[in-house]
Amino acid sequence: MTRYLLSKLIEAFIAIWGVVTIVFFVSRILGDPALLLVPVGAGQLEIDNLRVALGLDRPLLEQYFHSLVSMLKGDFGISFQHTRPALAVVLERMPATASLAGLALIFGTLIGAAAGAVAALMRGTVAELVVMIAALLGQATPTFWLGIMLILLFSVELGLLPTGGAGTWLHYILPGLTLSVFVSASIARLLRSSLLDIMREDYVRTARSKGLLPHTVFFWHIARNALIPVVTMIGIIAGELLGGSVVIETVFAWPGVGRVIVQAIQAQDFPVIQAGVTLVAAIFVFVNLLVDLLYGVLDPRIRRG
């Protein structure tokens, strides 16, 4: 187990380093932030002085290695826009993203798991057809379009819910519902397929022939093994949601990590871009590491291997 964890941590470090490197060089293609920060009509001398103050006058590789060493110490630099530590700017948005992601993930998983189980257990019936059509539409519908339609219906036409922003529990309903639709649809389709595959296995027929109760066969022999691909899907979705859903946070003006990264890209705020993307990558890698460890709990064969 120690060797396994060590190998996974090394892989995680390499993945995060790769993301940091790519983001650093790609963000420099955006342009010169000094041109956006100086007053209108500023001369070349003022622009050059600001570039020196921001450390943008040094060679690119020197900037990269200096940035890399600083990041290892937890220092991502000072935000050009906010004139505060970039990591603090990103972290203060994390509670809003985490709360919305948690809400969408919990409700989406519960609804998707129930729908997938119904579709698998009632195969060939109208119930399965309804569930699969709803799941297909849920996955195919663009989240930005669904969000806009929900705003038009519940906010503009009916006046029941706020159009965007954060503050009260009412602000969570529309963005949470929009994200939950995709989550539940993805889980429902995958769980149904996984359950049907497991139901055909020889050990399931053996368990039934031994006279085990139907619910014992389902929960202990079928559902437990069918959850392995579903856990992988949940881990991927959780990493994406915790990284900030850029589209949904933009549509609903949600003050989360995804939105602050988009704003930083528009303003060419390199430190915030670096801090935000690195944090998202770290969360995604950590969630996937937890998923790998859960495999051993769900399937003893993986644990023994």
Side-chain angles (χ1 to χ4, degrees):
M1 179 59 74
T2 302
R3 186 167 59 251
Y4 174 78
L5 285 175
L6 185 59
S7 66
K8 286 295 180 181
L9 289 174
I10 293 174
E11 291 175 5
F13 178 81
I14 294 174
I16 294 173
W17 170 74
V19 170
V20 167
T21 302
I22 293 172
V23 170
F24 177 88
F25 288 103
V26 170
S27 63
R28 268 55 183 180
I29 301 175
L30 295 175
D32 188 354
L35 298 176
L36 298 178
L37 296 173
V38 295
V40 177
Q44 187 61 43
L45 181 60
E46 292 180 80
I47 297 174
D48 292 340
N49 289 337
L50 182 58
R51 295 186 78 252
V52 172
L54 297 176
L56 300 175
D57 62 314
R58 292 177 291 179
L60 195 58
L61 286 179
E62 183 181 338
Q63 293 182 45
Y64 168 70
F65 286 113
H66 179 268
S67 176
L68 204 59
V69 172
S70 298
M71 277 186 268
L72 291 175
K73 301 176 183 177
D75 179 15
F76 287 83
I78 303 298
S79 168
F80 300 159
Q81 282 182 291
H82 306 278
T83 62
R84 294 191 293 122
L87 186 59
V89 172
V90 175
L91 288 177
E92 70 182 13
R93 303 293 187 98
M94 182 52 69
T97 291
S99 58
L100 180 61
L103 179 69
L105 191 63
I106 290 172
F107 281 100
T109 300
L110 292 176
I111 296 171
V118 168
L121 294 174
M122 303 182 69
R123 186 181 183 189
T125 65
V126 176
E128 183 199 18
L129 180 62
V130 171
V131 168
M132 296 314 297
I133 291 176
L136 182 61
L137 291 175
Q139 274 194 305
T141 302
T143 54
F144 73 89
W145 181 86
L146 179 60
I148 292 173
M149 291 301 104
L150 291 177
I151 290 174
L152 290 175
L153 176 61
F154 291 102
S155 301
V156 178
E157 295 295 331
L158 301 179
L160 298 176
L161 298 170
T163 58
T168 66
W169 64 273
L170 292 174
H171 291 84
Y172 282 86
I173 296 178
L174 291 184
L177 177 61
T178 305
L179 289 174
S180 296
V181 168
F182 177 77
V183 174
S184 59
S186 302
I187 292 176
R189 295 189 67 193
L190 182 61
L191 181 59
R192 170 191 171 275
S193 176
S194 183
L195 286 172
L196 291 177
D197 288 340
I198 298 298
M199 286 178 181
R200 302 187 188 100
E201 294 291 336
D202 292 337
Y203 64 83
V204 174
R205 287 194 291 268
T206 302
R208 286 172 176 160
S209 66
K210 288 181 179 180
L212 296 179
L213 295 174
H215 69 271
T216 302
V217 175
F218 180 76
F219 287 106
W220 188 253
H221 294 281
I222 298 176
R224 186 178 179 182
N225 292 305
L227 283 177
I228 293 177
V230 177
V231 167
T232 303
M233 172 70 76
I234 293 174
I236 294 173
I237 294 175
E240 293 176 351
L241 294 179
L242 287 172
S245 179
V246 175
V247 174
I248 295 302
E249 290 183 0
T250 301
V251 169
F252 290 97
W254 190 262
V257 174
R259 189 159 180 252
V260 79
I261 292 176
V262 171
Q263 293 172 338
I265 292 173
Q266 293 171 343
Q268 299 177 14
D269 193 345
F270 298 158
V272 173
I273 296 173
Q274 200 78 57
V277 176
T278 302
L279 180 63
V280 169
I283 290 173
F284 197 88
V285 168
F286 177 72
V287 169
N288 279 274
L289 178 60
L290 290 181
V291 169
D292 287 343
L293 296 177
L294 278 175
Y295 286 166
V297 176
L298 293 173
D299 192 339
R301 295 171 300 177
I302 296 177
R303 184 167 60 249
R304 286 194 296 270

